[in-house]
Amino acid sequence: MGPPPSTEEKVVLLKAVGGEIGSASALAPKLGPLGLSPKKVGEDIQKATMEWKGIKVMVRLSVVNRVATPSVVPSASAMILKELKEPPRDRKKVKNVVHSGNVTLDAIIDIARVLRSRSMAKKLEGTVKEVLGTAFSIGCNVNGQSPVEIQKKEIDAGNVTIPDE
């Protein structure tokens, strides 16, 4: 039997598919030393990520007194995929999905506001450009145009002003 539970918080970051129970064998090496049941934590992660169904998201497990509380730490790509409102797909059968949807620039700015604390950009405009780059890599359009065109012709030219914060 190990030492009594401590009151200090331990943080475990892991990537999980939203709405699915992660395999206990993958969770065990991370959670075993903390004295947690991988199966129970997997079910908690499933409940916490239900609104991100089918999208890979980072999950932050904060462990205090051998009680794990999961919280979702969404990435730019996960938030863009959620904004596309695509139906959930079967990951085992459907491969190489093309995300050809359309996102509004306002939605991109809202995503950039959420990610602002984790961005290294000086202004919100730089964070918006980071999110536009992610939208380009996913393959979706912004306001019916390529994200590269939005960045070059609209933002860099000064046609669209991005608010300071």
Side-chain angles (χ1 to χ4, degrees):
M1 187 84 187
S6 64
T7 56
E8 69 178 78
E9 178 185 32
K10 299 231 187 290
V11 176
V12 179
L13 287 172
L14 47 102
K15 206 156 198 171
V17 179
E20 293 183 16
I21 299 177
S23 67
S25 61
L27 293 173
K30 296 175 178 118
L31 302 176
L34 301 173
L36 296 169
S37 162
K39 187 176 180 201
K40 182 181 175 299
V41 173
E43 291 168 356
D44 291 343
I45 290 173
Q46 179 195 18
K47 288 177 191 147
T49 59
M50 279 311 281
E51 66 180 70
W52 299 89
K53 198 164 184 69
I55 301 172
K56 279 191 176 177
V57 290
M58 287 293 290
V59 178
R60 180 180 188 268
L61 283 175
S62 55
V63 181
V64 180
N65 290 341
R66 292 182 61 190
V67 175
T69 51
S71 60
V72 177
V73 183
S75 63
S77 57
M79 293 170 83
I80 291 171
L81 288 173
K82 187 175 179 186
E83 196 65 41
L84 285 172
K85 296 180 179 74
E86 292 179 342
R89 64 185 176 90
D90 187 0
R91 292 186 311 120
K92 290 183 174 65
K93 293 178 184 168
V94 183
K95 302 286 184 188
N96 301 327
V97 176
V98 178
H99 305 286
S100 58
N102 194 17
V103 182
T104 64
L105 185 61
D106 293 333
I108 295 286
I109 293 172
D110 290 341
I111 292 170
R113 281 198 176 103
V114 172
L115 296 174
R116 184 74 185 106
S117 61
R118 290 187 276 157
S119 171
M120 293 294 187
K122 289 183 180 176
K123 298 180 180 174
L124 182 66
E125 181 178 326
T127 310
V128 168
K129 289 180 181 180
E130 288 177 11
V131 176
L132 283 171
T134 306
F136 179 73
S137 71
I138 288 174
C140 64
N141 292 331
V142 178
N143 287 352
Q145 297 177 315
S146 167
V148 176
E149 291 177 17
I150 294 279
Q151 183 173 332
K152 288 181 180 172
K153 295 178 181 169
E154 306 289 329
I155 296 175
D156 289 345
N159 297 341
V160 173
T161 56
I162 305 296
D164 287 339
E165 287 304 317

